[in-house]
Amino acid sequence: MSVEYLPIVFFLIALFYSSVGFGGGSSYLAILSLFLTDFYEIRSTALVLNICVVTIGTLFFIKNRVFNLKKFWPFLAASIPMAYFGAQLRLSKTSFFMVLGIALVLAGIFMLLRFVKKKMDTYEFSNPKKLLLGGSIGLLSGVSGIGGGIFLSPVLNLLKWANPRTIASLASVFILVNSISGVIGLNMAGTFKWNNELMLRLVLAVVIGGSIGSYLSNKKFNLKFLGVLTSILVLYVGFRLILLHGFSIKI
């Protein structure tokens, strides 16, 4: 695939991911790794695109009064500093993609289980548990270079913590604050880089795709089909990263 087709691919990724409250950072990372050689440019570009997509979703959720700061703040308060810290850790390219790949495979499995598991009672998190979960996933998001909502949302959906739209709104805001924190962390570490020409085209593509996906999500369309497709895409990306980079590890 030529780099000229990247905006089309990223438009579709933003459409799928934003429909369930995600930014698409994991797939941006995987695809950019095939075209860009600078590891830090890949991470920086994915985080900026994440911010563009979830900012749109967050605005839609706030406008439609789905976002609930009273329920969400402990997740966010713990995740922001941990995402900043994680973004400053310097991993080798191979280690980075292996961590990301394994995390995505687990996230994809949890996302699929949401559509097949039996009914169960809702689970209420105390504030300390919210802080612990938010901080842990915030650290993982900083290390992996994505916002972390793709890890948080499946867990909360499996536990029936809230309805899917409420969880999607939390995931969107969670990704937004952690991606911003990650960008600041990369900048402070001197590893924030991007290509202006490529970034402009990709930003335009994901903004359009993210706007459509966020609109569908907030209009209460039945998005099970898109949710399953997104889960399969997450699994594919995870396995592909493991296969591509796992053989680079010397045992």
Side-chain angles (χ1 to χ4, degrees):
M1 181 177 68
S2 169
V3 69
E4 298 300 322
Y5 294 104
L6 280 183
I8 299 174
V9 175
F10 278 36
F11 162 80
L12 294 173
I13 291 172
L15 173 62
F16 288 152
Y17 277 73
S18 61
S19 69
V20 290
F22 300 156
S26 57
S27 291
Y28 303 146
L29 282 168
I31 295 172
L32 288 171
S33 69
L34 301 176
F35 295 92
L36 302 180
T37 56
D38 191 316
F39 170 53
Y40 292 110
E41 183 182 343
I42 294 171
R43 291 184 69 182
S44 302
T45 302
L47 279 173
V48 171
L49 296 179
N50 244 0
I51 291 171
C52 292
V53 175
V54 295
T55 296
I56 297 167
T58 298
L59 292 175
F60 268 108
F61 285 123
I62 292 175
K63 180 182 177 182
N64 289 278
R65 298 182 179 180
V66 182
F67 178 72
N68 187 334
L69 183 60
K70 186 177 180 180
K71 293 181 68 174
F72 295 171
W73 73 263
F75 293 111
L76 305 177
S79 69
I80 294 172
M82 295 306 290
Y84 172 83
F85 173 73
Q88 291 190 303
L89 297 178
R90 292 176 178 264
L91 298 179
S92 69
K93 184 176 181 179
T94 298
S95 299
F96 169 82
F97 280 113
M98 280 299 294
V99 169
L100 178 61
I102 293 170
L104 289 178
V105 168
L106 294 174
I109 292 172
F110 287 142
M111 289 170 70
L112 283 175
L113 286 176
R114 167 190 167 190
F115 298 105
V116 299
K117 69 183 296 296
K118 296 180 180 179
K119 292 183 178 180
M120 63 178 289
D121 295 332
T122 58
Y123 183 86
E124 279 297 327
F125 282 95
S126 63
N127 283 343
K129 289 181 179 178
K130 289 179 181 179
L131 289 167
L132 178 61
L133 182 60
S136 300
I137 295 179
L139 177 62
L140 179 58
S141 74
V143 171
S144 62
I146 58 180
I150 201 171
F151 308 129
L152 178 65
S153 180
V155 173
L156 297 181
N157 273 305
L158 276 177
L159 296 174
K160 301 291 184 181
W161 175 71
N163 66 70
R165 289 184 73 234
T166 299
I167 293 174
S169 70
L170 168 58
S172 185
V173 179
F174 191 85
I175 294 168
L176 176 59
V177 297
N178 286 333
S179 295
I180 293 173
S181 183
V183 166
I184 295 172
L186 289 177
N187 189 58
M188 293 298 293
T191 56
F192 182 76
K193 300 178 182 180
W194 72 9
N195 179 302
N196 288 332
E197 183 180 352
L198 177 62
M199 180 67 81
L200 180 62
R201 287 183 289 160
L202 296 182
V203 165
L204 180 61
V206 301
V207 164
I208 296 172
S211 298
I212 296 172
S214 297
Y215 174 81
L216 294 175
S217 177
N218 279 278
K219 289 300 178 181
K220 300 182 181 180
F221 283 93
N222 185 348
L223 297 176
K224 182 176 180 180
F225 176 68
L226 283 179
V228 172
L229 280 181
T230 305
S231 304
I232 294 172
L233 178 59
V234 170
L235 275 172
Y236 171 76
V237 171
F239 279 120
R240 182 173 176 81
L241 289 176
I242 292 171
L243 291 174
L244 283 176
H245 299 277
F247 293 111
S248 301
I249 298 177
K250 295 181 181 181
I251 301 177

